[in-house]
Amino acid sequence: MRLTSFSDFGLRALLVLAGSERETWSSVDLAAKLDISRDHLIKVLQRLAVGGYVQATRGVGGGVKLAKRATAIRLGDALEWLEDDPALAECFRDDGGRCLLTGFCALRPKLERARRAFYAELNATTLADCLNPALREFVAAPLSAA
């Protein structure tokens, strides 16, 4: 299993927001801190906002911040929300895909159990559990001038 860059960026953004003393972050500053495309980050932040993970305010003095406490954000739930296509294989798609083995394949239920175990393991951890002094130091460091 491999995370999409979309999900990866979303988890990174959540970590920075959770590890920050700042009230809000502009998308420009957050993209610079994470060294990622601002355009891509905005799409990620929009999805996180729809999911209730971040609150975004437009305009002067606006920015993005966590919408709930880091202790209330389960990593598995956040990741599952960010993943655009959770289908591990073609047969997991809503339309069933075009696999000729569908209907008698013994692999699909095993993959589904593994997928559920993956998210359950991540749900044993909150965003707050991932905060440490090194992360907080990284987040607090001044943005480098380009």
Side-chain angles (χ1 to χ4, degrees):
M1 182 171 205
R2 184 170 192 211
L3 298 184
T4 62
S5 59
F6 189 90
S7 298
D8 184 20
F9 294 165
L11 292 175
R12 289 189 214 177
L14 289 173
L15 282 169
V16 168
L17 295 173
S20 178
E21 297 294 325
R22 292 166 78 166
E23 176 71 23
T24 61
W25 281 74
S26 72
S27 59
V28 171
D29 286 351
L30 190 54
K33 177 58 76 175
L34 295 171
D35 192 25
I36 60 176
S37 158
R38 179 177 176 263
D39 291 337
H40 198 157
L41 178 64
I42 287 172
K43 292 174 188 169
V44 170
L45 293 174
Q46 288 171 340
R47 178 130 177 97
L48 287 169
V50 170
Y53 292 97
V54 301
Q55 180 181 353
T57 306
R58 292 176 164 238
V60 177
V64 65
K65 64 182 180 180
L66 289 182
K68 48 187 159 182
R69 295 169 115 31
T71 56
I73 297 175
R74 300 248 167 240
L75 293 182
D77 292 340
L79 179 60
E80 200 164 17
W81 174 254
L82 285 164
E83 282 294 307
D84 196 24
D85 181 12
L88 290 176
E90 189 172 345
C91 59
F92 283 84
R93 293 187 346 210
D94 289 338
D95 66 2
R98 295 178 16 171
C99 180
L100 299 176
L101 304 180
T102 300
F104 56 86
C105 178
L107 178 60
R108 187 180 193 281
K110 293 180 184 314
L111 289 173
E112 176 58 21
R113 279 195 303 276
R115 186 192 70 77
R116 277 185 271 154
F118 174 77
Y119 286 114
E121 178 63 27
L122 287 174
N123 274 333
T125 303
T126 68
L127 190 58
D129 295 329
C130 297
L131 302 179
N132 60 52
L135 173 69
R136 291 183 189 278
E137 187 177 316
F138 167 78
V139 171
L143 295 171
S144 60

